Amino acid sequence: MAASPPPPPPRPLLLLLPLLLVWGVVVAAAAATDTLRQGESLTGAATLVSSPSGVFEVGFFAPDPKLPSRLYLGIWYRSISPRTVVWVANRAAPATAPSPSLTLAANGELRVLDGSAADADAPLLWRSNASTQSAPRGGYKAVIQDTGSLEVRSDDGTLWDSFWHPSDTMLSGMRIAVRTPGRGPSEPMRFTSWTSETDPSPGRYALGLDPANSGQAYIWRDGNVTIWRSGQWTGQNFVGIPWRPLYLYGFKPANDPNLGAYYTYTASNTSLQRFVVMPNGTDICYMVKKSAQEWETVWMQPSNECEYYATCGANAKCTAMQDGKAKCTCLKGFQPKLVDQWNMGNWSQGCVRSPPLGCQVNQSGDGFLSIPNIKWPDFSYWPSTVQDENGCMNACLSNCSCGAYVYMTTIGCLLWGSDLIDMYQFQSGGYSLNLKLPASELRSHHAVWKIATIVSAVVLFVLLVCLFLWWKRGRNIKDVMHKSWRSMHTSTRSQQNSGMLDISQSIPFEDDTEDGKSHELKVYSFDRIKAATCNFSDSNKLGAGGFGPVYMGKLPGGEEVAVKRLCRKSGQGLEEFKNEVILIAKLQHRNLVRLLGCCIQGEEKILVYEYMPNKSLDAFLFNPEKQGLLDWRKRFDIIEGIARGLLYLHRDSRLRVVHRDLKASNILLDKDMNPKISDFGMARMFGGDQNQFNTNRVVGTFGYMSPEYAMEGIFSVKSDIYSFGVLMLEIITGKRALSFHGQQDSLNIAGFAWRQWNEDKGEELIDPLIRASCSLRQVLRCIHIALLCVQDHAQERPDIPAVILMLSSDSSSLPMPRPPTLMLHGRSGETSKSSEKDQSHSIGTVSMTQLHGR
Ligand SMILES: *[C@@H]1O[C@H](CO)[C@@H](O)[C@H](O)[C@H]1NC(C)=O
Ligand SMILES: *[C@@H]1O[C@H](CO)[C@@H](O)[C@H](O)[C@H]1NC(C)=O
Ligand SMILES: *[C@@H]1O[C@H](CO)[C@@H](O)[C@H](O)[C@H]1NC(C)=O
Ligand SMILES: *[C@@H]1O[C@H](CO)[C@@H](O)[C@H](O)[C@H]1NC(C)=O
Ligand SMILES: *[C@@H]1O[C@H](CO)[C@@H](O)[C@H](O)[C@H]1NC(C)=O
Ligand SMILES: *[C@@H]1O[C@H](CO)[C@@H](O)[C@H](O)[C@H]1NC(C)=O
Ligand SMILES: *[C@@H]1O[C@H](CO)[C@@H](O)[C@H](O)[C@H]1NC(C)=O
C-alpha cells in the first residue's frame, strides 16, 4: 500500500503511515492472551482466551454454516462443542469483509470494523458507546474474564462491561437491573433472543425487569406484548417460579443507590449453567451434564399454557392439565364474561364480578376468602402507610376498587385493583391470596361447606359400616380358603417338593450374598401366578407401588409370596429386563426383601418376592390402632435396619444401587418386625442411567424427594440420604411427611423439624406415644442426624457409613445442620435465631422497599 500510493491527495496518506505502524501489531493467533490493548486489533481466526482457566473465548465466528462469510464478534465456551455463543457484539450488522477486526480506541471505545483496522474506510459495524474525553494514564485494555464478561478497564476502574449489555444469555455473576448503568447512555437492560438458531440479529422476544419497578421479570414479544411473568418477589423467591435451585444457587435481590433494586445471580458452579431466551420466546436454563461436555435443559418457562401470560383472562385462575393444556375457572364470586352466545369456552375475555361487592351496592360488609397455592396476579401495589396484616386488610376494605390483598412479613402489604390478571393455580407450593367478596358469597360458602360436611360424614359412616361387614365376611372366606389350601397341600406335598410343578424353568446364578448361600432365581409361568393370586383379584391386593400393584399369592406348595405386576410401560426389551432381574436378585441382605423369581409372558412382567406378614412400616406408624406397638426401642432398631440395608445398596453390593423411592410404604416388616427395604432396583429397571441427570422421568414420592432431585432430576446416593432423613423424622414424629404440607405455616417436615429443634423444642416433635418410654438423649440425637440428612445441599449431607457411625455412637459430636434455605412460604422474618447460628444462610432479609407499585 505504501509502495504504490494513489497520487492526490497526499495528506491522508501521511496520516495513514503512523497509523499503519500502530495497527500493525495484530494479536497473534498462537499466543493465547486474555487482553486486547490499545492499538492492537483482533482479526481473522485469532481469539482472546479468558484466564486463568480458559473457559471463554472471544473472536469472530459464522453462526450459519450456509453463510460462512457472515461474521460476528462473539464470546463462546472454549471447550464445549458445538460452539455455544453467549454474547454477540455486532448482532444487527454482520461483517461481510473477509477479515473484520475488533479494536480498542484510545478513548476506551471497543469497535468492530468491517475490514482491517488499518483501512480507514472500513465501515463501523458496532461500538461499545462508552468512552472518555481523556485517556487515563496507562491507557485502556479489554479483558475477557473466566466468568464470560468482556471488560474495558484502566487503572481507574471499569469503563464498559459486556455483562451490562447482554445478548440472549444470562451467566452466573451477572446483575439484572431495570436499566444499564455505566458511562454509556442508560438503556433498558434486556436479554433479547436471536432471530433464529443461526441468526443472532435481535429477535422478537426479550426478557427484562418491569420498568415500573414491581420487581418482576417479564418476557415480551415485539417490545410490548407480555408473554410471561415471574411473579412478585416474596422475600425468598418469585411467586411464579417455585424452582428451588434458582434460589439455592443464588438468585437474590440487592439494592444500590445508583442502580435501584436489582437481582444478582451466582451459580454454585459458575461456568456450567446459563439461562437463554430462545428465538421462540422460551426461557431455558441449561446445565452441563456431569458425564459429558454437553448441555442439558434443566428448567424451562413458559412450559405449559398456564405459564403464558393471562391465558385465562381477568379474574380467572388457570389449572394446568397433564398435557400442559390450560383449564380456566372463574374465581368465586365471578361469572364468565360472555361477549356473545358463540364465545363459550373462549376465555380471552375473562370473568366479571357477580354479585357485586357490598361496597358497590349499599355499603354492607365485604369479607375475604383465602385462595391457596396461587401465583399472585399482576399489577400489585404497595400502600404507603400499612404496618401489619390488619392494616393491610383494612386498606383493601376501605377502597372499593381494591380486589385482593396479601400480607407477608418479608415484603409487607400488597394490594390489587379490581381486575386480577394472570393467576396460575399450582398443585402445591405457591402462596395464598385474599380475595375480596361480598358477605353473601362468603355466607353461602359457609352454608355449602356445612352441608358438604354433614353429607360426607353420613357417607363415611355408611361406608365404614359396609367395610366392617365386608371385612367380617372376608375373614370367614379366608379361613375357609386357608383350610382348603392346607388340605390340598398335605395331599400333594411329595409331588410339590420333588417336581416343582409351578416352576417351568430356573436360572442359577453366581452368588453375591452376605450369607454365602447359593440361590436360584425361579421363573414362574403366568398361569401359576394367576392361579396363586386368584386371577389378580382385588381381595388379594396388598397395595399399589409406583411401578404396579402388589398381590398376595399362595403357591401350590403353600408358600406365601408377594407378586408385583409391573405396569407395562417399562420401556425395556425382554433380554434387558431379564438381565436386570438377575442383577437385582443378586442383591441379598437381611434388610432387603428377597426377590424369589419372575414371570415374563408377552406384555406381562411380574416379580415374585418373599411375603412379609406384617406389611409395611406405614401401616404401623400411621395407624392409630397399631402405632403403640412400636416403642422407641423397636423404632430405633427399624432405623438402624434401614440404614444397614441402604449401606448394602450404596456400598457393599456389586451394583451400587440408588433406591430413588425410599419411603415408609417401601419398608416391609417381617414377623419379628425387622425392616426390609422393598422396591429397590426398580429405577434401574425402568430405565434411568444411574449417575446422570434424568429430567424426563422423575420417579419418587412427593415429600421424600430431595430438592435437587425433585427440581432438577439430579439424583445420587445423597438423594436417598434425604429420603432416609425424612423417613427418620416420620418414625420419630409418628406423622406422615405429607401431612405437613398445606398446614397453617406450610413448612415441609424438614423445615418444621428444623424450626422446632432450633428453638430447643425438639422434644415436642417426638411421637407422644413413645415420649415416656424413650431415652430423650437418643431421640434428640436421632432428630439431629435426620436434620443433617435433609440439608438442602447434597454435598453437605452425610453418606450412609457416616450415618451408621453417628447412630451407633452415643458420644461423638455432630456437625450443626444447616437450616433449609428456602422454607417455601416459611415465615423467614421470624427466624432470627437461624441467622445467629448461620449467617451465610439467611436470605429473605434484604429489603425491597425500593420497589414501587405499578
Ligand atoms: C451512543 O450514545 C448516545 C448518547 O450518549 C446516543 O445518542 C447514541 O444513540 C448511542 N449510539 C449507539 C450506537 O448506541
Ligand atoms: C406495541 O407497539 C407497536 C408499535 O411500537 C404498536 O403499534 C402496538 O399497538 C403496540 N401494542 C400494544 C398492545 O400496545
Ligand atoms: C463444578 O464443576 C466441575 C466440573 O464438572 C466439578 O469438577 C466440580 O466438582 C463442580 N463443583 C461444584 C461445587 O459442584
Ligand atoms: C421453544 O424452543 C425450545 C428449544 O428449542 C423448545 O424446547 C420449546 O419446546 C419451544 N417452545 C415452543 C412453545 O415452541
Ligand atoms: C375469543 O374472543 C375474542 C374476542 O371476542 C376473539 O378476538 C378471539 O378470536 C376469540 N378466540 C377464539 C379462540 O375463539
Ligand atoms: C345490601 O344488599 C345485599 C344484596 O344486594 C343484601 O343482602 C343486604 O342485606 C343489604 N344490606 C343492607 C345493610 O342493606
Ligand atoms: C384505590 O385503588 C385504586 C386501584 O386499585 C388505586 O388506584 C387508588 O389509588 C386507591 N385509592 C386509595 C385512596 O388508596
Side-chain angles (χ1 to χ4, degrees):
M1 220 171 173
S4 57
R11 281 183 68 86
L13 176 73
L14 285 178
L15 281 176
L16 209 67
L17 266 173
L19 264 182
L20 261 178
L21 290 176
V22 175
W23 292 126
V25 194
V26 168
V27 177
T33 169
D34 62 347
T35 307
L36 182 76
R37 279 166 215 290
Q38 237 166 278
E40 292 176 342
S41 76
L42 186 74
T43 184
T47 57
L48 301 178
V49 175
S50 70
S51 66
S53 304
V55 182
F56 289 98
E57 193 168 15
V58 184
F60 286 94
F61 71 104
D64 192 346
K66 291 199 213 82
L67 298 165
S69 62
R70 281 183 161 216
L71 294 172
Y72 296 85
L73 181 85
I75 300 176
W76 58 84
Y77 288 90
R78 184 149 170 264
S79 57
I80 293 178
S81 72
R83 178 161 21 218
T84 309
V85 177
V86 297
W87 184 79
V88 182
N90 53 322
R91 299 181 69 168
T96 49
S99 64
S101 53
L102 170 74
T103 67
L104 179 60
N107 64 4
E109 193 171 71
L110 274 176
R111 292 172 186 162
V112 175
L113 302 173
D114 198 4
S116 153
D119 179 358
D121 294 334
L124 180 65
L125 295 175
W126 173 86
R127 61 201 181 98
S128 58
N129 209 8
S131 55
T132 46
Q133 296 290 332
S134 57
R137 216 167 343 133
Y140 285 109
K141 58 186 178 180
V143 181
I144 175 75
Q145 317 263 26
D146 264 344
T147 55
S149 88
L150 180 64
E151 281 180 21
V152 175
R153 59 181 188 220
S154 65
D155 296 341
D156 300 344
T158 302
L159 176 67
W160 180 88
D161 180 353
S162 68
F163 267 17
W164 283 122
H165 306 271
S167 295
D168 63 343
T169 303
M170 183 172 100
L171 292 172
S172 173
M174 277 191 177
R175 282 166 294 177
I176 298 100
V178 175
R179 301 186 72 79
T180 60
R183 291 302 167 78
S186 176
E187 51 195 53
M189 183 175 176
R190 294 280 152 85
F191 295 85
T192 309
S193 69
W194 288 22
T195 296
S196 74
E197 304 270 327
T198 52
D199 181 0
S201 62
R204 297 181 70 189
Y205 296 90
L207 182 149
L209 290 189
D210 182 5
N213 280 326
S214 69
Q216 306 184 81
Y218 288 83
I219 296 176
W220 296 279
R221 185 177 58 220
D222 301 333
N224 56 7
V225 183
T226 306
I227 296 301
W228 173 86
R229 179 177 72 97
S230 67
Q232 291 83 354
W233 181 261
T234 67
Q236 292 172 326
N237 63 337
F238 289 109
V239 74
I241 313 181
W243 188 54
R244 289 179 65 182
L246 187 62
Y247 317 105
L248 287 181
Y249 293 160
F251 201 83
K252 295 190 176 75
N255 230 312
D256 180 294
N258 300 321
L259 282 176
Y262 65 94
Y263 295 93
T264 61
Y265 169 64
T266 326
S268 64
N269 215 339
T270 47
S271 59
L272 301 172
Q273 200 174 7
R274 68 197 166 102
F275 286 80
V276 185
V277 182
M278 303 301 288
N280 64 11
T282 312
D283 190 23
I284 296 186
C285 174
Y286 291 101
M287 259 179 163
V288 165
K289 264 192 192 171
K290 287 239 169 62
S291 53
Q293 291 293 73
E294 207 173 285
W295 295 104
E296 181 155 37
T297 304
V298 292
W299 176 85
M300 185 160 96
Q301 273 206 353
S303 61
N304 67 40
E305 283 186 0
C306 285
E307 286 171 353
Y308 282 91
Y309 187 75
T311 301
C312 290
N315 306 314
K317 60 184 182 186
C318 186
T319 322
M321 302 282 97
Q322 284 285 339
D323 57 358
K325 291 258 183 300
K327 181 168 161 264
C328 298
T329 345
C330 283
L331 296 179
K332 185 167 175 54
F334 290 82
Q335 301 289 335
K337 180 172 178 182
L338 294 183
V339 178
D340 57 48
Q341 69 198 61
W342 304 114
N343 80 344
M344 297 292 289
N346 177 346
W347 285 87
S348 59
Q349 304 294 314
C351 308
V352 288
R353 248 187 213 286
S354 162
L357 284 171
C359 65
Q360 291 168 324
V361 195
N362 55 8
Q363 301 299 319
S364 68
D366 293 315
F368 292 93
L369 174 72
S370 170
I371 307 172
N373 308 120
I374 207 135
K375 175 177 176 182
W376 298 333
D378 203 359
F379 306 114
S380 54
Y381 62 97
W382 274 268
S384 43
T385 58
V386 169
Q387 304 296 336
D388 54 11
E389 170 123 36
N390 251 333
C392 187
M393 187 175 83
N394 288 332
C396 189
L397 274 181
S398 63
N399 184 343
C400 200
S401 18
C402 173
Y405 83 91
V406 155
Y407 185 84
M408 279 179 72
T409 45
T410 45
I411 51 167
C413 181
L414 280 185
L415 300 180
W416 279 268
S418 44
D419 270 345
L420 306 173
I421 291 168
D422 190 30
M423 277 171 288
Y424 177 10
Q425 174 100 58
F426 297 108
Q427 297 280 343
S428 64
Y431 295 80
S432 299
L433 178 78
N434 300 300
L435 174 70
K436 197 200 263 182
L437 285 178
S440 58
E441 283 294 295
L442 290 169
R443 256 203 311 281
S444 66
H445 179 74
H446 286 306
V448 168
W449 192 240
K450 261 184 209 152
I451 292 168
T453 315
I454 293 169
V455 167
S456 52
V458 170
V459 169
L460 202 69
F461 180 71
V462 171
L463 268 178
L464 277 177
V465 170
C466 291
L467 208 67
F468 180 68
L469 291 177
W470 174 79
W471 179 67
K472 274 197 85 165
R473 263 190 60 206
R475 279 268 288 234
N476 292 342
I477 291 175
K478 257 192 195 152
D479 282 350
V480 172
M481 266 170 52
H482 204 77
K483 278 181 196 137
S484 58
W485 271 119
R486 275 239 181 96
S487 56
M488 259 175 74
H489 175 142
T490 38
S491 67
T492 57
R493 174 173 294 184
S494 54
Q495 206 184 1
Q496 302 288 335
N497 283 354
S498 57
M500 274 195 167
L501 267 188
D502 55 324
I503 295 162
S504 49
Q505 203 185 339
S506 64
I507 313 170
F509 57 87
E510 197 196 327
D511 196 40
D512 187 26
T513 63
E514 54 168 18
D515 56 5
K517 271 186 256 154
S518 148
H519 296 274
E520 262 184 349
L521 183 67
K522 295 168 186 168
V523 178
Y524 299 86
S525 75
F526 186 64
D527 289 338
R528 294 285 165 190
I529 301 282
K530 215 160 121 180
T533 56
C534 305
N535 198 10
F536 302 105
S537 75
D538 277 348
S539 58
N540 277 39
K541 200 161 169 179
L542 294 171
F547 302 94
V550 183
Y551 301 87
M552 204 277 248
K554 203 162 204 181
L555 296 173
E559 191 185 2
E560 287 178 327
V561 293
V563 170
K564 185 172 200 106
R565 191 181 196 183
L566 297 179
C567 46
R568 301 182 177 190
K569 47 181 188 286
S570 82
Q572 256 190 344
L574 209 62
E575 231 12 72
E576 278 170 287
F577 177 77
K578 238 187 218 160
N579 289 337
E580 210 52 62
V581 170
I582 291 173
L583 282 177
I584 286 166
K586 283 185 189 174
L587 298 172
Q588 301 207 359
H589 183 274
R590 128 175 59 87
N591 294 112
L592 299 184
V593 175
R594 243 180 79 198
L595 179 63
L596 300 174
C598 65
C599 159
I600 308 170
Q601 185 163 325
E603 287 276 85
E604 292 287 349
K605 290 172 186 163
I606 290 169
L607 298 176
V608 179
Y609 291 97
E610 62 178 324
Y611 177 68
M612 291 288 143
N614 271 331
K615 308 253 169 64
S616 56
L617 179 59
D618 63 337
F620 275 86
L621 210 48
F622 310 128
N623 180 343
E625 283 174 20
K626 293 186 176 175
Q627 252 170 347
L629 295 176
L630 294 175
D631 60 9
W632 170 243
R633 197 61 254 154
K634 207 77 245 169
R635 291 190 196 194
F636 186 73
D637 288 346
I638 290 174
I639 291 175
E640 278 198 318
I642 301 167
R644 277 193 300 267
L646 262 191
L647 177 70
Y648 176 77
L649 287 177
H650 285 180
R651 275 290 166 98
D652 298 343
S653 66
R654 205 175 286 174
L655 322 157
R656 301 190 56 194
V657 175
V658 180
H659 190 296
R660 295 175 71 180
D661 197 11
L662 198 62
K663 55 179 170 183
S665 59
N666 273 340
I667 305 299
L668 305 187
L669 299 170
D670 73 3
K671 61 181 192 320
D672 301 321
M673 302 295 277
N674 292 316
K676 289 182 181 242
I677 301 175
S678 76
D679 254 14
F680 51 87
M682 297 308 277
R684 279 181 73 98
M685 207 170 288
F686 278 75
D689 295 351
Q690 280 283 326
N691 292 308
Q692 296 240 339
F693 290 59
N694 182 5
T695 43
N696 300 336
R697 189 189 172 86
V698 170
V699 298
T701 303
F702 192 65
Y704 291 91
M705 279 191 279
S706 61
E708 76 275 8
Y709 182 30
M711 303 297 175
E712 292 171 275
I714 300 174
F715 66 89
S716 64
V717 290
K718 293 298 183 69
S719 341
D720 277 356
I721 296 289
Y722 186 94
S723 313
F724 176 72
V726 172
L727 195 50
M728 268 179 92
L729 290 175
E730 285 189 329
I731 292 174
I732 293 165
T733 58
K735 294 202 190 90
R736 280 181 198 278
L738 272 182
S739 69
F740 286 83
H741 286 267
Q743 283 195 352
Q744 185 60 35
D745 46 8
S746 292
L747 293 173
N748 62 12
I749 191 169
F752 180 76
W754 188 87
R755 200 177 68 190
Q756 294 289 99
W757 183 81
N758 187 51
E759 291 169 2
D760 289 332
K761 291 194 275 187
E763 218 180 317
E764 290 170 27
L765 285 171
I766 305 172
D767 188 343
L769 287 173
I770 59 169
R771 239 177 254 172
S773 70
C774 69
S775 136
L776 189 60
R777 213 175 106 87
Q778 196 184 25
V779 185
L780 289 179
R781 191 175 165 86
C782 281
I783 294 176
H784 191 152
I785 298 169
L787 288 174
L788 290 172
C789 293
V790 295
Q791 294 179 101
D792 282 328
H793 289 272
Q795 67 268 28
E796 280 162 6
R797 295 175 209 142
D799 57 10
I800 195 73
V803 169
I804 288 181
L805 204 66
M806 292 189 239
L807 283 173
S808 57
S809 111
D810 238 359
S811 51
S812 67
S813 72
L814 302 175
M816 231 32 170
R818 289 182 185 267
T821 313
L822 182 71
M823 301 188 192
L824 266 183
H825 6 212
R827 297 176 297 184
S828 78
E830 297 169 12
T831 55
S832 53
K833 209 168 163 196
S834 74
S835 42
E836 281 163 31
K837 281 199 176 172
D838 188 337
Q839 290 289 348
S840 67
H841 268 68
S842 63
I843 66 164
T845 48
V846 182
S847 149
M848 289 295 281
T849 46
Q850 285 283 316
L851 301 176
H852 296 295
R854 47 174 286 165

